[in-house]
Amino acid sequence: MGLVKEIDYGTPASTSEKQVTLTVDGFTVTVPEGTSIMRASMEAGIAIPKLCATDMVDAFGSCRLCLVEIDGRSGTPSSCTTPVAPGMVVHTQTGRLKDIRRGVMELYISDHPLDCLTCAANGDCELQTQAGVVGLRDVRYGYEGDNHVFKKNDGAENFKWMAKDESNPYFTYDPSKCIVCSRCARACEEVQGTFALTIEGRGFESRVSPGMHQLFIDSECVSCGACVQACPTATLSEKSVIKIGQPEHSVVTTCAYCGVGCSFKAEMRGDELVRMVPYKDGKANRGHSCVKGRFAYGYSTHKERILNPMIREKVTDPWREVSWEEALTYTANEFRRIQYQYGRTSIGGITSSRCTNEETYLVQKLIRQGFRNNNVDTCARVCHSPTGYGLGQTFGTSAGTQDFDSIEQTDVVMIIGANPTDAHPVFASRMKKRLRKGARLIVLDPRRTDIVRSAHIEAQHHLPLKPGTNVAVVTALAHVIVTERLFDEAFIRERCDWDEFQDWASFVALPENSPEVVGQLANVDPEAIRSAARLFATGGNGAIYYGLGVTEHSQGSTTVIAIANLAMATGNIGRPGVGVNPLRGQNNVQGSCDMGSFPHELPGYRHVSGDAVRDIYESLWGVKLDDEPGLRIPNMLDAAVDGSFKGLYVQGEDILQSDPDTKHVAAGLAAMECVVVHDLFLNETANYAHVFLPGSSFLEKDGTFTNAERRINRVRKVMAPKNGLADWEVTQKLAQAMGLAWNYQHPSEIMDEIARTTPSFAKVSYDYLEKMGSVQWPCNEQAPEGTPIMHTSGFVRGKGKFIRTEYVATDERTGPRFPLLLTTGRILSQYNVGAQTRRTDNVMWHSEDRLEIHPHDAENRGLRDGDWVRLTSRSGETTLRALITDKVSPGVVYTTFHHPDTQANVITTDFSDWATNCPEYKVTAVQVGASNGPSEWQRDYDEQARNSRRMATLEAAE
């Protein structure tokens, strides 16, 4: 086992279909037109020396090492900036070139520290490597005179020297080792799109500068790691490498944070993780990363991680550590007792969107085969369940239509209720790159998110709609398209039901759906609605990306349907550059839905009432399956309060912090007799648990995740589980304790069972994924290489279905007592309920939840930035500090939900989507006022949480 090596071709690949043949050092090579000589040479197996070139950024031509000679041309052009030409004859190794390269390298080394043996990059330094490649054996120039290497020259202060910047928690910046190749600044611009780095000064005065000569931590740097990855020396170095040393082997795996599903090389020294490096062959991220996936993996070894099973009879008792056998036997006995006493449907389970497909499949199998009911649900209930319903009704399948590469052919991007720069940053970087190349942008969001206006990007239209008016505004866009006859009639007649379209068109054309009427309702300029609609309908390939700002509403499903209507009406379905794309929040929320985690669906989105589908599993599992849908999460909690639901197995979710109306969730959990939490940490839900089963991190297991583009990616074990068992093994042992004859030896066997029983996964296996890298479902005999683009020749359901989307105002209304509207979301450095990221150095950027409030609303309440405020709704109250900003509109406030000491969801209500029960997180009527301390509820909650985390002390042996 060694390091996974990736070839750096020096410059990006050309996308031209025209081929050009040339000769390099006597070898013939054929490459696409527009390819650089450097890349063509590398493809022929000939590596030209380079320092400023890397295939993640465009050619720059500054280092002067990659010079070549070309027959018939004078001079020595740089191979990175010179495109190939038909019949070109290139020489890369002549005496003249060798002399030039050695001379250039001498100049670099003359202003560079010669501490190679103690340098963190020793063995991984391109400057060191290239010095050997060009045959440098001596440096004729000394350090006398100007240099950037020493703090003092001849006893005097050297003002060209700069101290090492160690302000960033994850990497250092040592200016003395910088060769000013500009790779870091170009990566920040071209790959990440933040433009946080620049080259200040000219000539010998040049140096890399974060922002306006700031420390990294104070600059606009988002710590994505692109600059560190691009740096050819130790100028930018991971602190983990400085501390541990260079890695000696690596394993390719998949990130366990958001739904982008980035591929990484986990680089190891023994069983210690040295660093995570984005994998260039990863089809979701193409070699890029964000601060969470790149650096925030320390939670896996955090001191608060629980490694041994624990039980207690009452939640007021201290925890007692026990063996795996005792914990699982106790759990099985309790579940059997509860079912005997209260009935078969008195227990259930919640699958995890952070666990693998295989682990999720086993949990729903345990509930259906072992518990003998359908009381299984997943966190998608509280995020993207309306996506499943809405797209299922209109298109016939419950997932997004495109791959991430599709953005590169998009002309108009419409973002609705999503904040990709914070929640899906790696995909957002690709989106921003496309926008910088000329694609146009429409944003529908109550907040002015970062993508509305950032470096070299400004939305053509930002519609800051009032929270709760999504359906009305999207229908108003359709009104313009229909009444101005901007729809794609040929597409609709061919691909959709024309009569249904006419019925829908007559509905959206009604005067009450006009921008003039809707604009007043939603506080949006009617002309902005009209202009945005015209742009989307006539601007070329139009792609819609949406997030939880669409789904987490009482009309979440209706808005998804409205979005699908809009895409079909404009013909923006079934080819690259278009589509309807839900941005999934968690790493495997798509997979948890695919695996049958809903109470009404078996794997592959097949309803439990279908006899043929149940027959497949009944014959395989040897039990009779219930043909009635089970309880959703809200129903489980309601039934618990009513006394009919008494036992719950929760794998990898924290419903007490993530679900709405925290008081109701707490009441439901408190009413149960056996709550089993299976997680890495004693999360908030564990406050009410009777059994705690320690989980394993993504680094400690084999399996697969399915990302937001339906891509099935391998997760590979890079170290042994610190708790002794992978999560799939824990569930299997629990099933065995309950009398089920499971005997899986490896997760690949679970995937084989999934493939045998689920048509959309029919061709998926670990061997096939090793061969293909990754695939997007459906992957079967009809689509053996997977399906990057859905609905290319027809919709899964046959004809696309237009459905009326009547706006119905939420029951959650503002008034004199609660005049403001609260909406919630995420921030870049934190993830979901923060259980992982709060246990990393990411807390440097976001150590608490803040309440964003408009200056007008703050002034009316006498509030200043940083003041403690009391946030009150009909459901409850909490306190947090104010952040005064014009990102939110007057009348709207916003906060995140990453920190349990805030517990933002004590404020949210129990209103939910009419079709799926997805909670209405995004619309809560609130009041904000000054506060001088925590709320009574916060004090009570903190005391209960501290008492719940007590550990039983072992008595000393006599």
Side-chain angles (χ1 to χ4, degrees), residues 495-539:
R495 302 284 301 277
C496 306
D497 186 300
W498 181 251
D499 291 336
E500 289 176 346
F501 167 74
Q502 289 183 306
D503 176 72
W504 171 78
S506 66
F507 162 72
V508 299
L510 293 172
E512 56 261 37
N513 293 320
S514 70
E516 286 68 30
V517 174
V518 170
Q520 274 197 320
L521 173 77
N523 295 336
V524 178
D525 178 7
E527 191 53 42
I529 297 175
R530 289 192 176 276
S531 299
R534 291 166 185 150
L535 174 59
F536 185 74
T538 63

Side-chain angles (χ1 to χ4, degrees), residues 750-828:
I750 306 171
M751 178 54 75
D752 292 341
E753 182 174 319
I754 295 167
R756 284 199 306 273
T757 56
T758 310
S760 56
F761 277 66
K763 202 168 174 60
V764 180
S765 68
Y766 281 26
D767 288 343
Y768 196 61
L769 291 174
E770 289 294 332
K771 173 186 174 184
M772 301 295 293
S774 63
V775 294
Q776 291 170 265
W777 67 258
C779 180
N780 46 34
E781 292 302 326
Q782 292 74 37
E785 296 187 3
T787 311
I789 309 293
M790 296 284 285
H791 318 298
T792 52
S793 56
F795 289 98
V796 170
R797 70 181 308 278
K799 294 284 189 179
K801 185 176 181 64
F802 283 91
I803 301 173
R804 290 183 175 218
T805 53
E806 189 169 342
Y807 169 66
V808 179
T810 173
D811 289 334
E812 179 70 358
R813 310 286 174 87
T814 56
R817 284 184 62 210
F818 304 107
L820 306 175
L821 283 176
L822 169 71
T823 188
T824 61
R826 298 181 179 181
I827 200 163
L828 172 64

Side-chain angles (χ1 to χ4, degrees), residues 614-798:
R614 286 201 320 281
D615 284 347
I616 295 171
Y617 294 98
E618 288 175 349
S619 60
L620 180 65
W621 296 348
V623 296
K624 185 74 173 174
L625 297 182
D626 194 340
D627 63 355
E628 289 291 328
L631 298 176
R632 299 168 174 176
I633 293 173
N635 306 135
M636 294 181 196
L637 296 169
D638 290 342
V641 172
D642 292 342
S644 60
F645 190 86
K646 292 292 185 178
L648 184 66
Y649 172 36
V650 187
Q651 184 185 70
E653 294 297 339
D654 191 1
I655 61 172
L656 186 60
Q657 188 177 343
S658 65
D659 284 31
D661 196 355
T662 303
K663 292 179 181 177
H664 179 63
V665 178
L669 291 170
M672 298 183 198
E673 296 181 5
C674 185
V675 175
V676 180
V677 168
H678 180 180
D679 215 313
L680 297 174
F681 304 100
L682 278 174
N683 58 23
E684 304 310 302
T685 304
N687 294 348
Y688 293 93
H690 305 84
V691 179
F692 185 88
L693 304 177
S696 54
S697 76
F698 78 107
L699 297 167
E700 301 162 4
K701 61 179 73 172
D702 283 299
T704 56
F705 292 151
T706 305
N707 74 349
E709 50 169 357
R710 297 170 285 104
R711 185 177 304 283
I712 306 164
N713 260 322
R714 273 300 314 276
V715 179
R716 295 178 178 87
K717 185 165 76 171
V718 302
M719 61 179 68
K722 297 189 180 303
N723 63 334
L725 297 171
D727 292 330
W728 68 270
E729 294 175 294
V730 175
T731 304
Q732 173 162 277
K733 286 183 177 294
L734 177 56
Q736 291 167 345
M738 295 195 69
L740 300 179
W742 292 8
N743 190 30
Y744 301 105
Q745 300 300 308
H746 190 268
S748 61
E749 297 175 9
I750 306 171
M751 178 54 75
D752 292 341
E753 182 174 319
I754 295 167
R756 284 199 306 273
T757 56
T758 310
S760 56
F761 277 66
K763 202 168 174 60
V764 180
S765 68
Y766 281 26
D767 288 343
Y768 196 61
L769 291 174
E770 289 294 332
K771 173 186 174 184
M772 301 295 293
S774 63
V775 294
Q776 291 170 265
W777 67 258
C779 180
N780 46 34
E781 292 302 326
Q782 292 74 37
E785 296 187 3
T787 311
I789 309 293
M790 296 284 285
H791 318 298
T792 52
S793 56
F795 289 98
V796 170
R797 70 181 308 278

Side-chain angles (χ1 to χ4, degrees), residues 315-353:
V315 297
T316 54
D317 294 339
W319 286 106
R320 177 169 59 90
E321 284 192 0
V322 296
S323 66
W324 276 108
E325 182 180 4
E326 182 177 349
L328 295 168
T329 301
Y330 178 86
T331 301
N333 289 341
E334 278 294 282
F335 281 163
R336 279 194 290 259
R337 175 190 66 79
I338 290 170
Q339 285 191 303
Y340 178 79
Q341 185 173 346
Y342 299 102
R344 180 168 50 85
T345 60
S346 60
I347 63 174
I350 298 174
T351 71
S352 175
S353 293

Side-chain angles (χ1 to χ4, degrees), residues 308-554:
N308 296 305
M310 302 187 298
I311 61 176
R312 58 185 175 183
E313 290 187 9
K314 301 190 297 292
V315 297
T316 54
D317 294 339
W319 286 106
R320 177 169 59 90
E321 284 192 0
V322 296
S323 66
W324 276 108
E325 182 180 4
E326 182 177 349
L328 295 168
T329 301
Y330 178 86
T331 301
N333 289 341
E334 278 294 282
F335 281 163
R336 279 194 290 259
R337 175 190 66 79
I338 290 170
Q339 285 191 303
Y340 178 79
Q341 185 173 346
Y342 299 102
R344 180 168 50 85
T345 60
S346 60
I347 63 174
I350 298 174
T351 71
S352 175
S353 293
R354 292 197 286 272
C355 288
T356 64
N357 286 318
E358 295 77 5
E359 290 162 344
T360 302
Y361 177 85
L362 287 193
V363 172
Q364 66 86 32
K365 178 178 178 178
L366 169 66
I367 292 162
R368 292 188 160 108
Q369 184 189 18
F371 296 2
R372 302 293 293 276
N373 63 49
N374 288 316
N375 292 340
V376 59
D377 210 350
T378 186
C379 86
R381 171 69 51 215
V382 300
C383 61
H384 269 286
S385 52
T387 287
Y389 180 85
L391 297 186
Q393 292 292 307
T394 50
F395 297 163
T397 188
S398 302
T401 63
Q402 313 295 115
D403 62 0
F404 289 147
D405 287 348
S406 173
I407 191 68
E408 294 173 10
Q409 297 182 51
T410 299
D411 300 308
V412 180
V413 177
M414 182 182 288
I415 302 173
I416 309 178
N419 186 6
T421 53
D422 280 22
H424 304 86
V426 172
F427 176 67
S429 293
R430 298 185 70 179
M431 182 184 285
K432 289 191 292 184
K433 188 171 186 177
R434 179 62 185 165
L435 293 170
R436 291 196 301 275
K437 288 183 176 180
R440 288 167 291 179
L441 176 63
I442 302 166
V443 177
L444 282 68
D445 200 291
R447 294 175 72 233
R448 190 184 70 245
T449 55
D450 287 345
I451 204 163
V452 171
R453 191 173 189 274
S454 59
H456 301 281
I457 294 170
E458 185 165 11
Q460 275 64 40
H461 302 287
H462 173 215
L463 311 184
L465 71 174
K466 179 181 176 183
T469 60
N470 288 345
V471 170
V473 173
V474 177
T475 304
L477 294 171
H479 174 95
V480 177
I481 290 167
V482 167
T483 56
E484 297 185 9
R485 298 196 63 81
L486 302 176
F487 54 85
D488 188 336
E489 183 174 342
F491 176 90
I492 297 165
R493 287 187 177 277
E494 178 187 353
R495 302 284 301 277
C496 306
D497 186 300
W498 181 251
D499 291 336
E500 289 176 346
F501 167 74
Q502 289 183 306
D503 176 72
W504 171 78
S506 66
F507 162 72
V508 299
L510 293 172
E512 56 261 37
N513 293 320
S514 70
E516 286 68 30
V517 174
V518 170
Q520 274 197 320
L521 173 77
N523 295 336
V524 178
D525 178 7
E527 191 53 42
I529 297 175
R530 289 192 176 276
S531 299
R534 291 166 185 150
L535 174 59
F536 185 74
T538 63
N541 286 340
I544 301 173
Y545 294 89
Y546 70 89
L548 304 185
V550 162
T551 57
E552 291 178 346
H553 287 269
S554 60

